Amino acid sequence: MSTTTNRETAPRDGGSVDHRLARLLDTPFFARVVPHLAPETLHQLIQYRGLDACGELVTSATPAQLTSLLDLDLWRHAQPGRDEQFDVDRFGEWLEVLVDTGDSVAARTVAALDKHLVIVGLSRYLRLFDAGTFEPTASTDDEPMDRNEMMNSETSGDVLECEVGGYLVRARRTDAWDAIVTLLVTLDTEHNHYFHAVMQGCRRLSNSRPEIDGLDDLLMAPEQHLHDVAIERERRRSRRGYATPADARAFLQMARQPQHPPTAPIAINPIATAYFRAADEQADTTPEGTSAGAPESARHAADEDIPTSIDVVSELLAEAGVMPERPRALLEAADARATKLPLLKRLMEFVLHHDETAYLTRSRELAFLANTLLAGSSVQSRPFTSQEASDAAACICNLGLECWPARWPGATSQGASSPPELDTAMPPDAFLVDHGLVTAFEVGWSVLYQDVSLFVADQLVSTLADLHCVDADTRRGLRALRRTLEKQREAGTPWLARDAADVLAMLDMTAWISVLGLLDECPILTAALRAVLERRTTSVSPTAFEFISTTAQIGDIRLFMRALPDLLSR
């Protein structure tokens, strides 16, 4: 690599990281590097710098990269663990940024996208009609209505509208209007076939609602089209190694209630099986050592500068904090050798040194479990971060391994009536050669559900029944909490009673924080709970916590619940 190229590809001469990153985006070589970067990396860069500063980056991406990038950026979680919703406002921002890079560039970029996604986005901004619909077809005895009057009769008269390519385009909302019209005009001129396919799709979705005919429970055309686009997005993401929210929720729900009868052989969860099959199929179709998003010409280009440039870009992005974690689809297992999980560490080290294939399989399983927690669960009533999901997956597996053999499929007793630490044995070193971590996670997750979530809910209901309080408002709050707990306990979702537990803060703040952690969908041990058990009086962070990874910690939870009545009665 030449000295000149080195100066271009490595803007290291002073300035803050933000300044150097901004210069990096402006350097000519960066457009050559973009096709070789993972879509998740591009997405993190956009989040760091802002979409409006990354227009050139977006237009340098390949169609496959851009599709994956939009799959990440145009969808938002309404609630942790729920299905993601299409972000209409963000779609408009994307169109404005693309048009700012140039009309032709924007049209070329959009024309490479799936037309169904573009139709979904545009139909939220526009209603489309054939202009001929408003042409007078016959005269009457009265004064004939001209075309403009017919058009104005369909609207209030102050709605933005124009004609493009023989279609009447009328605004549903005014933001991004100029960018959309500019884009449509350019598509009509330079990508006519794609333009008409998109416009006809938008026109079909612009029809008025049908009459109620007994089928009114079916989705309307726009909602059905959006649903189809969302399903196709999930298929793409599954092939890239993501766990869909629906599959993740189903897996976690199945894991709470072990499905194996006592004498049945242990079988891997069908959802996990489908996940690994899809990942294997994707790996088989992606040539080794190439980027899935890079075009064929870029993959085989004889440009020796590209690898070094990618390294420079990666180093700078890491320094800027843009790449602090692995992308979600590429999450690796939490390194068991570096964690504070002695059992999982010992078993993984044995597999590493004795069976490389089994070790790679276990690492893939941990990655699947981390992605499942990210997509289908929550911690402290918020989404997991990538690092938290990796840590939680490892901790839950360690808990499941500690509960072997008493709580594993095939055991004769799997109840939650006795503390699991009273009936456990350490698995042999070679255990993970033949046993999967998916099953270990299922065991650990069911233990958390039965011995923490349900146990804490039951104990708290009993505590509230015997708790006497002078303040009338507090009494009403405690009664409401008890009713909510009983209802959610019966439904098997005690974590949905967390909001009602706020009344406990009026009695004891430390107890309230501790109970909230235990009632979580993924139960945790807060620093406040640990302080109660250790009888410490120093201040603790209300947000600090650790994931439950051992049967000893579950024993600590039982001790705390026995002490809870006294805490609330002070």
Side-chain angles (χ1 to χ4, degrees):
M1 185 179 231
S2 67
T3 305
T4 302
T5 305
N6 269 317
R7 285 198 299 267
E8 291 176 353
T9 59
R12 301 169 183 268
D13 53 325
S16 65
V17 172
D18 286 349
H19 177 67
R20 285 185 286 141
L21 193 56
R23 289 181 55 205
L24 173 66
L25 293 177
D26 293 334
T27 53
F29 90 97
F30 192 66
R32 295 188 290 120
V33 177
V34 168
H36 297 268
L37 299 177
E40 292 81 8
T41 300
L42 299 179
H43 184 232
Q44 290 175 330
L45 182 55
I46 288 173
Q47 289 184 313
Y48 183 80
R49 290 288 302 162
L51 181 59
D52 56 347
C54 297
E56 297 295 336
L57 176 153
V58 169
T59 56
S60 299
T62 67
Q65 280 178 307
L66 194 55
T67 297
S68 297
L69 189 54
L70 293 176
D71 283 345
L72 290 165
D73 201 67
L74 288 183
W75 302 79
R76 298 285 185 271
H77 277 292
Q79 296 178 351
R82 301 294 96 188
D83 291 335
E84 294 170 305
Q85 305 297 316
F86 184 74
D87 190 336
V88 180
D89 295 334
R90 188 63 167 175
F91 180 83
E93 293 176 22
W94 270 83
L95 293 186
E96 290 181 316
V97 168
L98 288 174
V99 170
D100 285 344
T101 63
D103 300 354
S104 295
V105 174
R108 184 190 71 236
T109 303
V110 170
L113 297 175
D114 178 15
K115 67 180 180 180
H116 298 293
L117 174 63
V118 177
I119 290 170
V120 162
L122 289 178
S123 65
R124 268 56 184 173
Y125 284 85
L126 309 171
R127 291 187 69 193
L128 261 68
F129 308 93
D130 285 320
T133 301
F134 298 98
E135 293 289 352
T137 58
S139 299
T140 65
D141 294 336
D142 299 323
E143 187 72 20
M145 181 181 293
D146 65 20
R147 185 168 182 270
N148 288 332
E149 290 174 340
M150 293 181 67
M151 292 168 63
N152 290 335
S153 70
E154 294 291 318
T155 183
S156 62
D158 58 355
V159 174
L160 293 174
E161 61 183 25
C162 66
E163 259 188 68
V164 181
Y167 299 90
L168 174 65
V169 182
R170 181 170 292 156
R172 290 182 184 270
R173 45 190 292 175
T174 58
D175 52 314
W177 169 257
D178 291 339
I180 290 174
V181 171
T182 300
L183 175 65
L184 293 179
V185 170
T186 310
L187 283 173
D188 181 30
T189 303
E190 301 180 6
H191 304 273
N192 188 259
H193 180 75
Y194 185 88
F195 167 78
H196 284 291
V198 169
M199 298 298 269
Q200 289 169 12
C202 290
R203 183 186 59 186
R204 285 191 295 270
L205 299 184
S206 298
N207 294 331
S208 60
R209 290 178 176 270
E211 295 181 3
I212 297 176
D213 56 4
L215 299 177
D216 48 295
D217 286 338
L218 298 177
L219 291 175
M220 297 295 101
E223 287 74 19
Q224 182 62 51
H225 195 78
L226 176 58
H227 176 73
D228 294 341
V229 168
I231 293 297
E232 186 57 34
R233 169 183 178 259
E234 288 188 353
R235 289 173 181 162
R236 287 193 300 268
R237 286 164 62 78
S238 293
R239 290 193 295 268
R240 286 184 55 80
Y242 286 86
T244 67
D247 285 348
R249 292 195 302 271
F251 172 83
L252 294 174
Q253 182 58 31
M254 292 173 65
R256 292 187 181 102
Q257 305 290 343
Q259 302 296 311
H260 308 280
T263 59
I266 300 175
I268 192 169
N269 184 286
I271 295 175
T273 301
Y275 172 95
F276 294 128
R277 183 187 302 118
D280 289 339
E281 290 173 355
Q282 176 66 14
D284 290 340
T285 59
T286 302
E288 185 177 356
T290 65
S291 168
E296 199 67 24
S297 59
R299 292 175 186 171
H300 300 292
D303 189 345
E304 297 180 357
D305 290 347
I306 291 295
T308 302
S309 300
I310 293 175
D311 290 341
V312 172
V313 172
S314 299
E315 289 174 7
L316 184 54
L317 295 182
E319 184 181 353
V322 178
M323 299 173 62
E325 301 165 349
R326 296 285 291 178
R328 275 183 56 178
L330 304 175
L331 277 178
E332 293 180 341
D335 189 351
R337 292 169 294 171
T339 64
K340 298 179 181 179
L341 307 175
L343 178 56
L344 183 60
K345 172 185 175 181
R346 173 169 60 86
L347 299 184
M348 286 292 283
E349 283 185 341
F350 181 91
V351 176
L352 175 63
H353 293 109
H354 292 82
D355 193 326
E356 183 178 353
T357 300
Y359 180 80
L360 293 175
T361 300
R362 303 300 164 251
S363 297
R364 291 180 67 206
E365 289 170 349
L366 274 175
F368 160 74
L369 296 169
N371 274 309
T372 297
L373 289 174
L374 266 173
S377 187
S378 62
V379 61
Q380 296 182 318
S381 292
R382 60 168 174 77
F384 279 89
T385 67
S386 297
Q387 187 61 53
E388 286 173 343
S390 294
D391 293 343
C395 288
I396 296 169
C397 287
N398 191 85
L399 177 63
L401 291 170
E402 281 204 8
C403 292
W404 185 87
R407 305 292 283 272
W408 273 60
T412 57
S413 62
Q414 297 186 28
S417 58
S418 61
E421 69 269 22
L422 299 181
D423 189 18
T424 60
M426 291 298 102
D429 289 348
F431 188 78
L432 291 183
V433 173
D434 301 316
H435 296 79
L437 285 176
V438 172
T439 304
F441 178 93
E442 291 178 301
V443 173
W445 190 247
S446 70
V447 169
L448 286 179
Y449 179 64
Q450 296 172 19
D451 293 337
V452 181
S453 297
L454 300 186
F455 171 78
V456 168
D458 290 338
Q459 293 297 307
L460 187 54
V461 168
S462 299
T463 297
L464 294 175
D466 299 331
L467 195 62
H468 300 286
C469 184
V470 175
D471 183 73
D473 290 338
T474 303
R475 286 201 305 272
R476 283 193 293 270
L478 293 174
R479 286 197 297 269
L481 171 59
R482 185 182 177 189
R483 288 193 299 269
T484 302
L485 269 172
E486 291 173 338
K487 175 183 177 181
Q488 296 301 339
R489 169 63 175 86
E490 180 68 22
T493 54
W495 51 88
L496 296 182
R498 289 180 88 249
D499 290 344
D502 288 349
V503 64
L504 298 180
M506 303 171 64
L507 300 177
D508 188 280
M509 184 68 69
T510 302
W512 170 62
I513 294 172
S514 303
V515 168
L516 285 183
L518 298 176
L519 279 180
D520 215 347
E521 185 174 12
C522 178
I524 55 176
L525 284 181
T526 63
L529 185 149
R530 184 64 64 192
V532 170
L533 293 179
E534 296 174 359
R535 301 181 181 277
R536 286 189 281 113
T537 58
T538 56
S539 60
V540 296
S541 169
T543 59
F545 69 90
E546 58 185 303
F547 292 108
I548 300 171
S549 60
T550 66
T551 54
Q553 289 173 314
I554 293 182
D556 290 340
I557 292 170
R558 293 175 179 270
L559 292 176
F560 170 78
M561 293 308 298
R562 284 200 289 268
L564 183 61
D566 290 337
L567 292 175
L568 298 179
S569 299
R570 291 175 182 174

